[in-house]
Amino acid sequence: MSAAEPEGAPAALAGLRVVDMASLYAGPLIATILGDFGADVVKVEHPRGDDARRWGKARDGVPLWWKVISRNKDLIALDLHKPDDREIARDLCRWADVVIENFRPGRLDSWGMGYEELAADNPGLVMVKVTGFGQTGPYADRPGFGTLAEAFSGFAAITGAADGPPTLPPFGLADGVAALTGAYAALTALRWRDSRPDGRGQVVDLSLYEPLFGILGPQVIEYDQLGILQKRRGNRSPRTAPRNAYRTADDRWVTLSAGTQQIANRIFTAIGRPELADDERFSQPAARSANSELVDGIVADWIAGQRLADVLEAFERAQAPIAPVYETDQIVRDPQYLARETVVSVPDADLGRIRMQNVIPKLSRTPGRIRRTGPAEVDADRDAVLARLNTEQERTTW
């Protein structure tokens, strides 16, 4: 939902109560996703401030990524080593439908805040536990971060040039994939809870490496059945050709992938070589893969002789899929991004108007909305959060 849409539009998750006790990226991003669709989110951070405040760039001392990842959240600072602060945290867990945490396994239990203790007061509680390696297994107690998950999952081993080292993504890929997984897992657990007479919640055990491992494709079954290990091939694919990034005559880049024979035939038409569709070296997917160097070279040579605008026009005329390789300055001006408001400008108390990624996906009847950006001040909403708890306790007592 854009900032221009009415604030009174219905929110899909209105009434859902979420406590974000996690730090940095994956756990907090789960809460951000839920908050984007109307959940009431309280962010608990240490009085020194969440580490995400120091992750990435700042402007005039204001952390920029924090503005995004802590949007639609109320902030309270609690030191869980202190008994009084732990009691406030327990009150929040009594209030919540969902609690998200990423402490080492057993840390909350040592403070008397394990799931069994919390569920004794709030049987419907869903707790999402985010760790590097999960709550069980011989590696459960190891510290884990997205970078480690990107290696451990097998992602890095298949990413990069054939003659180069394993390549890590330049952003939090494992954290982001885990956050999306955690959001749907929390909603799945809530759906199950709300469909049963006892209304009991459960624990979501979410590692960082497993969601990324789960979307890597057919590596496991191909190894199991054929003994094949996928190797690094740069931008090429072991399953289709042509597929690569190609430089144009005006030093821009485009990408394409011939995922089906029909698409390959359209690519041949776009580059002025429709006869290649009948060439036995390129007329079937397996043949194209076997001759990937040759077909890739033909496409690359044609694109190298054309300006970007001419390449895109030729492919559009042939209805062959292609995309320019964008940087952010191009993204924020692109008509598709603008039309769908994929990047949105929102007011911010510290920086004026700021642009950030909008809420995705788009729901036709209950769209998400950025109601506020992440407050720069630590403990910014303490009074409001405590007042909310006091109101809830009074209602429960009555």
Side-chain angles (χ1 to χ4, degrees):
M1 183 174 185
S2 72
E5 291 181 270
E7 293 189 6
L13 300 182
L16 180 66
R17 299 168 170 183
V18 178
V19 174
D20 172 9
M21 290 201 299
S23 61
L24 254 183
Y25 193 11
L29 186 55
I30 297 172
T32 303
I33 294 167
L34 300 177
D36 282 349
F37 288 97
D40 186 355
V41 181
V42 174
K43 167 69 179 177
V44 176
E45 57 179 326
H46 193 278
R48 66 172 175 267
D50 192 285
D51 287 332
R53 293 177 176 273
R54 294 170 285 279
W55 201 64
K57 305 293 185 182
R59 178 187 170 194
D60 300 331
V62 177
L64 297 180
W65 180 236
W66 178 257
K67 289 291 177 184
V68 182
I69 200 171
S70 291
R71 68 192 190 191
N72 296 332
K73 299 180 183 181
D74 291 332
L75 309 187
I76 186 169
L78 299 174
D79 183 349
L80 298 185
H81 295 89
K82 298 179 178 179
D84 289 346
D85 282 5
R86 283 203 300 272
E87 191 54 44
I88 295 173
R90 286 194 189 94
D91 287 340
L92 283 169
C93 293
R94 295 184 187 103
W95 166 84
D97 296 292
V98 178
V99 171
I100 304 162
E101 62 97 353
N102 66 346
F103 294 98
R104 292 273 193 96
R107 177 62 60 84
L108 284 181
D109 298 82
S110 71
W111 289 329
M113 294 181 59
Y115 181 75
E116 295 304 323
E117 291 91 342
L118 297 178
D121 291 333
N122 182 2
L125 181 66
V126 171
M127 177 174 277
V128 183
K129 295 176 170 285
V130 186
T131 57
F133 298 96
Q135 298 291 314
T136 60
Y139 302 163
D141 291 330
R142 292 184 180 181
F145 305 97
T147 298
L148 308 187
E150 287 145 10
F152 191 70
S153 67
F155 170 84
I158 62 173
T159 305
D163 57 352
T167 302
L168 297 166
F171 67 101
L173 176 63
D175 288 271
V177 175
L180 292 168
T181 305
Y184 88 67
L187 295 175
T188 300
L190 289 168
R191 173 67 178 83
W192 184 85
R193 179 196 74 176
D194 294 343
S195 67
R196 295 179 61 82
D198 62 9
R200 295 191 64 84
Q202 61 182 299
V203 173
V204 176
D205 176 359
L206 178 65
S207 74
L208 291 181
Y209 78 90
E210 287 169 313
L212 186 54
F213 169 72
I215 65 169
L216 287 185
Q219 282 86 352
V220 171
I221 195 167
E222 288 181 351
Y223 173 71
D224 177 65
Q225 296 297 305
L226 303 173
I228 293 173
L229 292 175
Q230 182 172 328
K231 302 298 183 182
R232 293 186 292 281
R233 298 187 58 173
N235 291 320
R236 291 181 177 168
S237 168
R239 297 173 184 89
T240 189
R243 193 261 196 182
N244 213 328
Y246 304 90
R247 191 194 299 265
T248 66
D250 50 348
D251 202 29
R252 299 285 294 278
W253 290 86
V254 295
T255 63
L256 60 85
S257 177
T260 68
Q261 188 60 44
Q262 291 85 351
I263 291 175
N265 294 346
R266 292 175 186 175
I267 291 171
F268 298 149
T269 298
I271 67 173
R273 298 291 303 276
E275 75 279 3
L276 296 179
D278 297 320
D279 189 316
E280 63 181 12
R281 297 170 298 177
F282 313 128
S283 60
Q284 297 293 333
R288 283 187 284 109
S289 292
N291 292 281
S292 59
E293 291 278 351
L294 181 56
V295 69
D296 193 70
I298 292 171
V299 173
D301 288 346
W302 183 86
I303 291 176
Q306 315 293 320
R307 294 177 59 83
L308 174 65
D310 297 328
V311 172
L312 297 179
E313 181 182 355
F315 272 70
E316 184 174 356
R317 197 164 52 241
Q319 297 187 346
I322 195 169
V325 177
Y326 270 173
E327 295 189 54
T328 306
D329 59 339
Q330 297 164 295
I331 285 173
V332 298
R333 298 194 303 268
D334 183 87
Q336 180 69 15
Y337 277 88
L338 293 173
R340 289 182 59 80
E341 296 184 298
T342 312
V343 175
V344 67
S345 175
V346 294
D348 178 73
D350 303 297
L351 299 172
R353 293 201 71 84
I354 59 177
R355 286 184 288 185
M356 63 177 64
Q357 299 97 321
N358 206 349
V359 178
I360 56 168
K362 296 179 179 296
L363 274 64
S364 63
R365 298 184 65 182
T366 56
R369 183 166 64 89
I370 300 170
R371 301 183 300 280
R372 67 181 293 195
T373 58
E377 180 186 355
V378 176
D379 211 26
D381 304 297
R382 169 175 284 269
D383 291 344
V385 171
L386 294 181
R388 191 178 311 163
L389 288 179
N390 289 335
T391 300
E392 177 66 17
Q393 288 168 351
E394 291 170 6
R395 185 191 67 78
T396 303
T397 302
W398 181 87

